[in-house]
Amino acid sequence: FAFFCLILLIFFDATLWGSRLLPSVGHVLWGRTPPRLTLFEEAERMMLVSFCAYSLAELRREAKAGNLKESKKVLHLLGQGGSTNGGQNIGKSLAVADLLEIIDDNRYYLKRKYGLYGLSSFDVVRRIDERRAKTKIVKSKRSITLEDYNDSDEGRKLVYGIAMDRNERRITLFFRGTYPKGTNDWTRNLQFDMRKCPTPPLVLEDDRAPQQVLFHRGFYEYMFDNQDHDHPKERYDEILDHLKKLFKKHRGFKLYITGHSLGGALGTMTAFYLASSLDPDIPKPITVFTFGSPMAGDESFRAAYQILESKGLIRHLRVSNYEDMIPKGLPFSVADKKLYKHVGVDLVLYNRKPWYEIGYKRVWPAQRVPKDGVAFPKFTLNPVRAHDITEYLGRILDNFDRLKEYELDDFYPDF
């Protein structure tokens, strides 16, 4: 009888319970439940994925130019049409181990073209694969895969990718940050005026909800206003379709969203709409990690975002380097006479004591006074470096001992 009950339990695990409501019974029975991650572990993983958005862009450009060994094969693996699966078959994905093999096969050329410093940007893939190889859960080399990378028509449209980690049962949507060569990124960055949009119905259920939300026009239209005759779907709709296919196939997986710079702002907006979606195929809460992100909306956006946080539908860590001016950016829209506002839990990283500050700040701008008494961002002769994604990764790694003491949920108890 006990054996029969066990088989019945595993059957329900595969059909309903394990897919929606509970962790996989098989994972629990055999000690394979994905471990709870510290704030450092989550931040480091999302930082590496955000980093890969740039590395993949360079690899595809080099392959298109015929500069890599077996460039045609590389383009086929990375997506000839700008997507690893062309949007047709989500099952055709690229293992991180195979991506690392492409980098190693072309290591001499990449070192000669980008130098040792530039080569290190490709080696973040090695760090991801080394973690995969050490896992005790899913030991296949396909346990971490790139499910999609879409840079089709990147001269006009934003670039995004989707990665999957079967060890930690996580699907990560990531956005590439500002890329200066051959893209529309800077044009969108500089569209500072705001665009009014209706508040999603789920948010309107709360009495505190604003009737409309104001977004940075450039960021919003990059995501939601870019269809044409050749591309009838908005980028957001493409992303939603890909995510729904993946989550239907991988029940019980979590959704994470990340990005650096422009990618962080796009990720913040996307998370807002996905979290307020009533689609049952999108799991909640959505977890967001952004790095060096500019502000995406005004006070109304922040109020609506906080309602989703209070409902447990979204949690967000926003990381910024102390000297980085991009997150501070232009804090207002002259045309709309409105201030921009940040959202989420604020983690500020320093290159000296006190090393970091973290907390949920509901009021912005607010004077930041670290322990050493400095009230304003330290002047730097190299503001570009403070915003560089390599600098962000370095500071996160430097704070391993400090950030491992926290979990992201520690900063949402008062909701």
Side-chain angles (χ1 to χ4, degrees), residues 6-7 10 13 24-33 136-137:
L6 177 62
I7 296 299
I10 293 175
D13 166 58
S24 169
V25 173
H27 275 61
V28 173
L29 289 175
W30 290 283
R32 293 183 175 183
T33 302
K136 296 180 180 179
I137 302 176

Side-chain angles (χ1 to χ4, degrees), residues 194-409:
M194 296 183 179
R195 173 147 174 179
K196 296 179 182 179
C197 303
T199 302
L202 181 62
V203 180
L204 285 173
E205 292 176 1
D206 193 294
D207 294 337
R208 302 167 296 170
Q211 293 302 305
Q212 59 184 13
V213 177
L214 274 70
F215 291 104
H216 181 290
R217 178 178 295 276
F219 301 156
Y220 182 88
E221 293 182 355
Y222 223 3
M223 178 65 68
F224 296 101
D225 192 11
N226 48 47
Q227 67 185 90
D228 54 34
H229 181 269
D230 295 325
H231 303 87
K233 280 191 175 182
E234 307 287 6
R235 272 293 200 247
Y236 178 82
D237 294 326
E238 293 175 5
I239 291 168
L240 183 60
D241 287 349
H242 290 178
L243 289 176
K244 288 174 66 173
K245 289 178 183 178
L246 281 170
F247 282 114
K248 284 179 180 178
K249 186 176 180 181
H250 300 278
R251 300 294 190 182
F253 277 48
K254 301 165 290 187
L255 174 58
Y256 278 60
I257 300 177
T258 190
H260 167 257
S261 190
L262 167 64
L266 296 172
T268 300
M269 278 197 317
T270 305
F272 172 75
Y273 278 103
L274 289 175
S276 57
S277 167
L278 299 176
D279 195 314
D281 291 319
I282 301 300
K284 312 294 191 316
I286 295 171
T287 301
V288 187
F289 278 76
T290 57
F291 306 91
S293 171
M295 290 166 274
D298 77 333
E299 175 64 40
S300 63
F301 171 58
R302 185 172 69 178
Y305 204 89
Q306 288 177 349
I307 289 172
L308 294 176
E309 289 176 305
S310 68
K311 290 176 177 288
L313 299 175
I314 195 168
R315 37 182 226 141
H316 183 167
L317 183 74
R318 175 173 52 83
V319 185
S320 60
N321 285 340
Y322 186 47
E323 304 91 342
D324 187 359
M325 298 306 297
I326 298 300
K328 301 165 184 65
L330 185 65
F332 58 89
S333 167
V334 176
D336 300 279
K337 298 180 181 179
K338 295 279 187 179
L339 287 173
Y340 280 100
K341 304 290 183 178
H342 272 305
V343 295
V345 176
D346 184 27
L347 172 62
V348 184
L349 299 175
Y350 301 85
N351 59 1
R352 56 194 169 88
K353 288 184 178 181
W355 302 114
Y356 77 100
E357 279 189 296
I358 188 168
Y360 193 102
K361 297 182 176 67
R362 287 182 173 74
V363 180
W364 195 97
Q367 189 181 46
R368 250 184 220 121
V369 184
K371 297 172 186 176
D372 61 2
V374 179
F376 296 100
K378 180 184 175 184
F379 177 73
T380 175
L381 294 175
N382 193 352
V384 175
R385 179 180 176 182
H387 185 63
D388 190 272
I389 193 168
T390 305
E391 183 72 9
Y392 272 89
L393 178 58
R395 293 193 189 187
I396 286 174
L397 296 177
D398 288 344
N399 279 284
F400 164 72
D401 288 334
R402 305 170 188 92
L403 298 181
K404 72 178 183 180
E405 302 298 325
Y406 302 108
E407 292 183 11
L408 183 53
D409 287 340

Side-chain angles (χ1 to χ4, degrees), residues 64 81-82 150-159 182 226 228 230-231 235:
K64 287 177 182 178
N150 196 336
D151 62 357
S152 60
D153 198 14
E154 67 170 335
R156 295 192 313 108
K157 296 192 172 189
L158 65 88
V159 175
N226 48 47
D228 54 34
D230 295 325
H231 303 87
R235 272 293 200 247

